[in-house]
Amino acid sequence: MNQPSRFVLTFPRSDGVALGIVLLILIVTTLTGCTRHEPVAAAIRPVLLTQVVPGSGAQTAVFAGEVKPRYESDLAFRIGGKIVSRGVDAGARVRKGQVLARLDPADLALQTESAEAQVAAARVDHEFAQAELNRHENLLKQKFISASALDAKRNAMKATQAKLEQTQANLAVTRNQAAYAQLLAPEDGVITAVAAEAGQVVAAGQLVMRYAREREREVEIAVPEARIAEVQQAQQIAVMLAADPDTRYRGQVREVSPAVDPVTRTFAVRVSVIDPTPAMQWGMTAKVVLADAGSGTASLLPSTALHQASDGRPALWVYDPAIGTVSLRPVAITQYREDGVVIAAGLTAGEWVVATGANKLHEGQQVRPYVGAGRPVPPEPTVPAAAATARVN
């Protein structure tokens, strides 16, 4: 009976090593063909996000300035003399009528006594001339003197009367000067500078102190001549202190200098602070920010966030924090600037937009927000999207 033929693979004894290698290859190939491949999850790409902030695209101009009082005046004595006391220092708050400094009253007292003595002498002369006039009037009635002699006495009496009035006026002036020996505060305010000390001899009108009213404050800025119209037409003006940049004060342009500075070629502009607080002290550094009210709803985003939709319109990748995916959305651009693009429509306040790497994404792709130091963090996805899988046959 015939037996079925068998194929037998034979190797020489000297090829034992080669035989082992071939058997190992056959075993690995058989096992590999029987193993099922598990799906491989697609890698989640990290992206840098930025949030949509309405009003961030508004055109702004910033000018540095100094806080100054609106009303500031130099205080001086109306007469000359030696300062014997000074009651306040620079930075002191004073009340209306408060004594700030005094002059030596000794000379003024002597001048007052001299003026009083002159008045007394003039009154005696006037009384004597009046008595002489009365006697000569009686002598004229008795025909002992002529009319011309009476007229002479009448003129002498009028001269003494004028002399008396003159000395009385001089006495009033001297008494006023005695009151001028005290330097008084004209209104409630602050002493911003002191230019004289006790023991110093000053002349009438010489600067002793500089005074400023407490109630009103302004910021003085220097504006180039090419931007004067921008300042005058500004719709919104904000004032911020360098020491407190988080607090904004409302401002209003009060005065624009009619002449340009010959050295800096800038105009001095005074911006009144509508609602100042005690924290705004004179001499502090402040910034005046001019904003364009017409672009209050536009958003400024990085230029690297721009992409192109299928119809050629500009678009952005909007991140959905609920499922952690991105979708392409067309937007309307109003302006291209050095610091980004201004988006007028197509986005909602608070949405998150991919800031960089827009050309590496596709519709519905799951991404992971990049969390860096000092960057805002979007909320975590509440419904994870289905991970993309790839199967190898």
Side-chain angles (χ1 to χ4, degrees):
M1 185 174 178
N2 295 330
Q3 297 292 333
S5 60
R6 295 181 180 178
F7 176 77
V8 179
L9 183 63
T10 60
F11 294 92
R13 291 179 179 272
S14 61
D15 295 337
V17 176
L19 176 60
I21 294 175
V22 172
L23 292 177
L24 180 61
I25 294 174
L26 292 176
I27 293 173
V28 172
T29 304
T30 303
L31 294 177
T32 304
C34 299
T35 303
R36 296 185 58 184
H37 294 278
E38 297 295 334
V40 179
I44 300 178
R45 181 184 298 275
V47 293
L48 187 65
L49 300 179
T50 184
Q51 197 169 25
V52 178
V53 180
S56 58
Q59 287 280 15
T60 59
V62 181
F63 299 92
E66 180 183 351
V67 178
K68 292 188 175 182
R70 178 173 180 177
Y71 299 102
E72 188 174 15
S73 57
D74 295 339
L75 301 181
F77 289 103
R78 299 173 66 174
I79 59 174
K82 179 180 179 181
I83 300 177
V84 294
S85 65
R86 178 170 60 82
V88 294
D89 295 321
R93 284 178 167 80
V94 297
R95 297 293 182 182
K96 181 179 180 180
Q98 180 178 343
V99 178
L100 307 179
R102 289 186 174 89
L103 292 178
D104 187 359
D107 293 340
L108 297 174
L110 293 176
Q111 292 175 6
T112 302
E113 293 178 1
S114 175
E116 291 174 349
Q118 292 176 1
V119 170
R123 182 176 291 109
V124 171
D125 291 341
H126 175 64
E127 291 174 354
F128 176 76
Q130 182 66 47
E132 283 289 305
L133 177 62
N134 294 336
R135 284 193 294 269
H136 279 69
E137 287 178 350
N138 293 330
L139 292 175
L140 180 62
K141 291 178 182 180
Q142 298 175 10
K143 306 299 183 177
F144 289 128
I145 61 173
S146 64
S148 60
L150 179 62
D151 291 339
K153 292 299 181 180
R154 183 178 290 110
N155 291 338
M157 186 276 299
K158 290 181 178 179
T160 56
Q161 182 178 1
K163 183 67 174 180
L164 176 61
E165 293 175 355
Q166 179 184 6
T167 55
Q168 288 176 343
N170 290 336
L171 176 61
V173 171
T174 303
R175 288 174 176 172
N176 287 339
Q177 289 181 344
Y180 297 155
Q182 292 183 342
L183 187 62
L184 306 179
E187 297 287 344
D188 294 349
V190 176
I191 302 300
T192 59
V194 175
E197 298 293 339
Q200 182 176 345
V201 177
V202 296
Q206 181 179 342
L207 174 65
V208 176
M209 297 180 185
R210 184 168 288 114
Y211 153 89
R213 291 188 184 179
E214 176 73 16
R215 291 172 293 181
E216 300 184 41
R217 291 174 174 82
E218 295 181 339
V219 177
E220 184 179 29
I221 58 176
V223 181
E225 48 188 311
R227 307 189 69 176
I228 283 295
E230 180 182 351
V231 174
Q232 293 175 332
Q233 299 172 5
Q235 300 296 324
Q236 297 179 359
I237 300 178
V239 177
M240 297 179 294
L241 298 176
D244 185 15
D246 296 331
T247 303
R248 291 200 170 200
Y249 303 89
R250 294 183 297 120
Q252 181 179 4
V253 176
R254 183 187 66 83
E255 179 184 87
V256 178
S257 175
V260 66
D261 187 282
V263 178
T264 62
R265 307 303 302 174
T266 59
F267 288 86
V269 177
R270 289 273 186 145
V271 178
S272 297
V273 181
I274 305 301
D275 48 356
T277 62
M280 181 177 289
Q281 299 295 326
W282 291 316
M284 298 181 71
T285 303
K287 293 190 296 183
V288 176
V289 181
L290 311 179
D292 182 9
S295 57
T297 59
S299 302
L300 179 64
L301 295 175
S303 301
T304 53
L306 281 181
H307 197 54
Q308 191 174 22
S310 57
D311 55 359
R313 292 188 299 169
L316 298 174
W317 288 106
V318 180
Y319 173 73
D320 187 353
I323 58 177
T325 61
V326 293
S327 59
L328 194 62
R329 185 185 302 176
V331 294
I333 299 177
T334 61
Q335 187 180 13
Y336 292 89
R337 295 183 356 201
E338 294 182 357
D339 54 348
V341 292
V342 179
I343 309 298
L347 298 175
T348 305
E351 286 188 313
W352 294 89
V353 177
V354 178
T356 57
N359 58 336
K360 301 293 184 179
L361 302 175
H362 59 80
E363 187 69 25
Q365 181 176 355
Q366 188 176 16
V367 297
R368 174 173 54 84
Y370 170 76
V371 179
R375 300 192 58 84
V377 180
E380 294 291 336
T382 58
V383 181
T389 59
R391 294 182 180 273
V392 180
N393 294 329

Coordinates of all heavy atoms in Angstrom, one line a residue, residues 39-42 387-391:
P39 N -5.8 49.3 19.7 CA -5.9 50.7 19.2 C -4.9 51.6 19.9 O -4.8 51.5 21.2 CB -7.3 51.1 19.3 CG -7.8 50.2 20.4 CD -7.1 48.9 20.3
V40 N -4.2 52.5 19.2 CA -3.3 53.4 19.8 C -4.0 54.8 19.8 O -4.4 55.3 18.8 CB -2.0 53.5 18.9 CG1 -1.0 54.5 19.5 CG2 -1.4 52.1 18.8
A41 N -4.0 55.4 21.0 CA -4.7 56.7 21.2 C -3.8 57.8 20.6 O -2.6 57.8 20.7 CB -4.9 57.0 22.7
A42 N -4.5 58.7 19.9 CA -3.8 59.9 19.3 C -3.2 60.8 20.4 O -3.9 61.0 21.5 CB -4.7 60.6 18.4
A387 N -11.3 59.9 22.1 CA -9.9 59.9 21.6 C -9.9 59.2 20.3 O -10.5 58.2 20.0 CB -9.0 59.2 22.6
A388 N -9.1 59.8 19.4 CA -8.9 59.2 18.1 C -8.1 57.9 18.2 O -7.1 57.9 18.9 CB -8.2 60.2 17.1
T389 N -8.5 56.9 17.5 CA -7.8 55.6 17.5 C -7.3 55.2 16.2 O -8.0 55.6 15.2 CB -8.7 54.5 18.1 OG1 -9.9 54.4 17.3 CG2 -9.1 54.9 19.5
A390 N -6.3 54.4 16.1 CA -5.8 53.9 14.9 C -5.5 52.4 15.0 O -5.0 52.0 16.0 CB -4.5 54.6 14.5
R391 N -6.1 51.6 14.1 CA -5.9 50.2 14.1 C -4.9 49.7 13.0 O -5.0 50.2 11.9 CB -7.2 49.5 13.9 CG -8.2 49.8 15.1 CD -9.5 49.0 14.9 NE -10.4 49.3 16.0 CZ -10.4 48.6 17.1 NH1 -9.6 47.6 17.3 NH2 -11.3 48.9 18.1

